[in-house]
């Protein structure tokens, strides 16, 4: 497996694969890989001939006061793990490679980037859309895999790829959870034992809301309430948002008629965790 | 020559050419083609195997109160002219094809898009950068040709292509002028006979400024003054801006040390005309 920070190297490598008629799958990450990420690599490996994993802690998607500086790093472990899954290359550019001094371009996706994390983290999705466009430009993948935990990110990328005619298949990978239900996240490392225990209530709340929907409840405000009520058992969790939205447009939905995404952001102490669950209408 | 408004058709056509190992050159236009545009087609034909000309009056690069509605159209003549020069396809999408209802993405290039036309036409270069990214996505050209008359547009596109790693060679085509020196422009059609006559002073002013530089003058404020003074002969021209800038960054330059672009925008009655000239330092 090739590990390189050189944009030219990775670009030439992918170009040579394409010339051989091989398809390229990209898994963009910020490193600190957990089983959630690894499932993305497995999906990419199953659907393409050559998997490239990018590891780049993208500063432009962090807001002021967010955890850019302390974001966990484990590059050697990350490389070993993705190599074991059959990745052919890991692209680890540094910040000055990606954003040289005279870099000036931003990709902004309106609509779908608003509300939810878009409200909580202003500028975040501009950073995400821009870095993904850059990575797509360098790697020119046939497909790219994104996790459904970051549901709004997935929706933003899908919208952008459609709008800019990037001709990249965006594959959505299911959320991978810890045995107690907590969605895998690099930020789970920030949690103390107590917070870690309470954090499993997030998943419990999502499933409680879905359970309510399965009994026939159509009123989304009651589903959101079920989630929030479930979290009242916690002492150190505070809900930043709990919204029922269309999973493609992120527009708010009040009544279950088609599939609805219940998307939440919860502070566990100072650590912000997101999670979501798809709720299908009863048929 | 194929003329189509179908995005799918043009995309498949270009894709089939690429698979045959043929290079594709794109000339993006808004139609109403004049000899300036045709020179871009000639350059594209000389540098690539298959030339695609796009004709699309892009609404997002027009501001409120600008001439979107009255912008000249001559699609049949345009097609005949580019076919005669060896173009293989003309892409004529309609607005709803390019921008479906849920379209949400904007490409913004900071820095180089500021000042000059960026100040005079807020949002213009966002519209230009976005439509070019879309056309590049559909056609996936090896090269694209832009005229140097739109010097800031050229600089914005170059910056964007570099930043987003689009791997498209951007070719700059020299300004084509009428016999009396007026830069070719689709908007010249708006000019009355009187305005048309006065408009040639723009070119005269640019050359007067360059002449001054050739005598050894290094002070850009005096070059700008030479241009403005030259236009005092006119009764119906008013200078919107006359700036000396770096041709790549569009940053203002006060003293000639390297090459400087004298870029101007002039109202001839209500018609806004732009022009520019490169001034090389004396060696």
């Amino acid at each position: 497996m090739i590990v390189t920070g050189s944009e030219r190297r990775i670009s030439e490598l992918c170009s040579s694969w394409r010339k051989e008629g091989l398809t390229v799958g990209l898994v963009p990450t910020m490193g600190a890989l957990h089983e959630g990420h690894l499932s993305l690599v497995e999906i990419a490996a199953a659907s393409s001939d050559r998997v490239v994993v990018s590891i780049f802690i993208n500063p432009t998607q962090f807001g002021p006061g967010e955890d850019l500086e302390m974001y966990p790093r484990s590059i050697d472990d990350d490389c070993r793990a993705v190599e074991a899954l059959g990745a052919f290359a890991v692209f680890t550019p540094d910040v000055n490679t990606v954003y040289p001094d005279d870099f000036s371009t931003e990709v902004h996706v309106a609509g779908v980037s608003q509300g939810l994390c878009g409200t909580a983290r202003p500028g975040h999705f501009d950073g995400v859309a821009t870095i993904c466009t850059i990575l797509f430009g360098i790697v020119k993948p046939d497909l790219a895999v994104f996790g459904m935990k970051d549901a709004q990110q997935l929706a933003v990328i899908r919208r952008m790829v459609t709008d800019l005619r990037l001709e990249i298949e965006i594959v959505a990978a299911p959320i991978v959870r810890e045995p107690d239900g907590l969605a895998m996240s690099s930020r789970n490392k920030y949690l103390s034992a107590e917070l870690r225990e309470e954090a499993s209530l997030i998943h419990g709340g999502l499933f409680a809301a879905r359970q309510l929907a399965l009994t026939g409840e159509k009123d989304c405000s009651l589903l959101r309430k079920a989630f929030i009520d479930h979290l009242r058992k916690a002492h150190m969790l505070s809900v930043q948002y709990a919204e029922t939205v269309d999973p493609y447009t992120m527009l708010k939905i009040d009544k279950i008629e088609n599939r609805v995404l219940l998307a939440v952001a919860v502070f566990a102490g100072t650590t912000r965790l997101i999670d979501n669950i798809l709720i299908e209408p009863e048929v």
Side-chain angles (χ1 to χ4, degrees), chain A:
Chain A
M1 187 181 72
I2 288 154
V3 180
T4 178
S6 161
E7 188 173 318
R8 187 171 177 160
R9 180 91 198 278
I10 204 78
S11 170
E12 288 177 354
L13 193 62
C14 295
S15 172
S16 71
W17 288 333
R18 279 193 305 277
K19 278 182 191 150
E20 292 176 55
L22 300 169
T23 58
V24 178
L26 174 66
V27 180
T29 81
M30 299 208 300
L33 304 185
H34 50 65
E35 285 176 47
H37 295 107
L38 299 184
S39 77
L40 310 185
V41 178
E42 288 178 303
I43 289 170
S47 324
S48 60
D49 300 314
R50 294 288 180 271
V51 174
V52 176
V53 178
S54 63
I55 298 182
F56 178 62
I57 301 178
N58 176 36
T60 69
Q61 70 190 71
F62 288 79
E66 288 188 1
D67 56 346
L68 172 60
E69 303 306 326
M70 68 179 293
Y71 196 84
R73 286 152 170 87
S74 56
I75 183 84
D76 295 338
D77 289 348
D78 294 350
C79 288
R80 270 190 292 274
V82 303
E83 182 166 22
L85 294 173
F88 275 77
V90 175
F91 178 44
T92 57
D94 65 22
V95 173
N96 295 328
T97 299
V98 176
Y99 303 115
D101 277 348
D102 47 3
F103 184 92
S104 311
T105 303
E106 188 173 83
V107 179
H108 172 66
V109 183
V112 68
S113 70
Q114 281 150 26
L116 309 174
C117 292
T119 305
R121 306 181 70 186
H124 170 68
F125 288 117
D126 291 340
V128 169
T130 305
I131 186 62
C132 286
T133 307
I134 292 170
L135 291 171
F136 292 166
I138 296 169
V139 172
K140 298 191 174 48
D142 296 277
L143 63 88
V145 188
F146 290 84
M148 289 171 68
K149 182 171 78 74
D150 299 298
Q152 193 172 15
Q153 169 176 281
L154 175 65
V156 166
I157 298 299
R158 279 181 161 149
R159 185 71 253 163
M160 181 191 82
V161 164
T162 300
D163 286 352
L164 300 184
R165 280 69 165 183
L166 298 183
E167 270 190 60
I168 298 168
E169 184 190 352
I170 300 302
V171 179
I175 298 175
V176 177
R177 299 183 178 281
E178 300 286 353
D180 70 350
L182 178 65
M184 298 256 182
S185 165
S186 304
R187 292 188 169 101
N188 292 350
K189 291 183 184 164
Y190 298 156
L191 302 173
S192 67
E194 277 180 305
L195 284 170
R196 174 64 193 77
E197 204 180 321
E198 286 211 338
S200 71
L201 289 169
I202 299 169
H203 155 263
L206 292 174
F207 277 73
R210 188 170 70 171
Q211 204 52 45
L212 185 60
L214 289 175
T215 67
E217 183 56 62
K218 301 277 182 215
D219 182 344
C220 291
S221 70
L222 297 180
L223 304 186
R224 299 191 299 264
K225 184 174 179 301
F227 173 79
I228 290 165
D229 285 349
H230 191 89
L231 262 68
R232 288 192 208 285
K233 298 170 197 163
H235 299 94
M236 293 170 294
L237 302 184
S238 78
V239 177
Q240 185 181 44
Y241 67 72
E243 295 287 359
T244 41
V245 297
D246 177 282
Y248 283 86
T249 64
M250 297 288 133
L251 291 174
K252 288 188 188 180
I253 289 178
D254 289 325
K255 194 172 169 221
I256 296 186
E257 284 163 340
N258 297 301
R259 49 167 43 185
V260 167
L261 188 80
L262 172 57
V264 305
V266 174
F267 275 100
T270 56
T271 299
R272 187 173 174 279
L273 302 172
I274 60 173
D275 201 347
N276 64 76
I277 198 163
L278 260 179
I279 298 173
E280 310 275 351
E282 279 285 88
V283 274

